[in-house]
Amino acid sequence: VQPTDSLLEVLERFEVLLLERAIPLGLVSKTDSDRLWERHILDSVRAVGVLDAPAASGCDIGSGAGLPGIPIAIARPSMKVVLAERRRTRAAFLEMAVEELRLPNVIVHAGSASAIEERFDLCFARALASPVAAWTLAADLLLPGGRLVLWSGIDSGAGDELPIGVPVESRSNAGLAHGGALVIMTKQ
Ligand SMILES: C[S@@+](CC[C@H](N)C(=O)[O-])C[C@H]1O[C@@H](n2cnc3c(N)ncnc32)[C@H](O)[C@@H]1O
């Protein structure tokens, strides 16, 4: 990120990459072309507003086209963000996006999140798996007291049961037309 770039400008450049690169690669649905900002970028960045204390590190598990990890990393340049993505085409898109947007706080892990040895303050899971499966992956990656932010809603296992014995909070969706509540689970 150049010193002159505002966060908004960088988010807008990411929107252009989604439109011109991710959609042709099939990483984001073509039907979302005219609603990328609200459906994907604002939906990702809203996690920043629900987290009270600043976190030093986060891992986006199953980042796909960089959602939610890239918008969060743009909004929180002091947070180190690892984008974990096991599919090669997607990881290559992420590498390209990190380079084009010049995001020094972002690292791409091309492989399964379960192979990451580092531990994080936060994990993010959007359209990844059921809450129980997402928690199983995140619990191993979190530091004690660390939190998983799970996007409940379309394609993310909404209605599935939450893991038993895990402290859970729910934060509603800040007036967005898309996306369900954010569910926050804490590792004890
Ligand atoms: C449906 S996509 C969602 C992508 C993105 N989070 C979003 O909201 O658009 C789920 C992604 O998770 C990736 N994935 C699933 N399990 C994974 C794992 N254990 N480690 C890394 N990536 C994983 C898949 O390859 C896929 O790209």
Side-chain angles (χ1 to χ4, degrees):
V1 178
Q2 300 296 312
T4 50
D5 287 340
S6 74
L7 298 183
L8 191 60
E9 283 166 344
V10 186
L11 287 170
E12 284 170 352
R13 281 165 46 211
F14 179 54
E15 183 185 26
V16 172
L17 289 181
L18 290 178
L19 184 66
E20 294 182 351
R21 312 286 278 273
I23 289 179
L25 286 167
L27 310 189
V28 172
S29 169
K30 205 174 172 177
T31 58
D32 289 345
S33 301
D34 57 359
R35 54 183 181 181
L36 289 168
W37 188 257
E38 170 140 342
R39 195 179 179 95
H40 294 291
I41 294 177
L42 291 185
D43 185 51
S44 294
V45 94
R46 72 192 166 113
V48 169
V50 305
L51 297 164
D52 29 24
S57 64
C59 179
D60 181 12
I61 308 172
S63 189
L67 300 161
I70 288 182
I72 290 171
I74 292 168
R76 279 281 177 272
S78 62
M79 192 196 302
K80 176 185 172 187
V81 177
V82 172
L83 309 175
E85 176 50 59
R86 66 185 176 191
R87 290 177 67 172
R88 202 183 304 172
T89 320
R90 294 170 187 214
F93 170 84
L94 294 173
E95 297 278 11
M96 179 280 298
V98 168
E99 201 178 314
E100 291 259 323
L101 300 174
R102 298 189 195 93
L103 302 174
N105 57 325
V106 181
I107 290 169
V108 177
H109 169 83
S112 174
S114 54
I116 298 176
E117 287 179 7
E118 190 178 348
R119 297 295 174 256
F120 302 90
D121 300 304
L122 295 172
C123 282
F124 306 105
R126 180 179 185 262
L128 173 68
S130 71
V132 171
W135 178 251
T136 303
L137 276 169
D140 283 342
L141 289 168
L142 287 170
L143 291 162
R147 292 180 291 173
L148 167 66
V149 183
L150 176 85
W151 273 246
S152 69
I154 304 161
D155 299 334
S156 62
D160 287 355
E161 286 179 25
L162 295 170
I164 294 165
V166 179
V168 172
E169 306 157 63
S170 181
R171 308 284 164 85
S172 68
N173 84 16
L176 284 183
H178 302 288
L182 297 178
V183 175
I184 301 172
M185 302 178 204
T186 303
K187 176 165 168 156
Q188 289 176 306

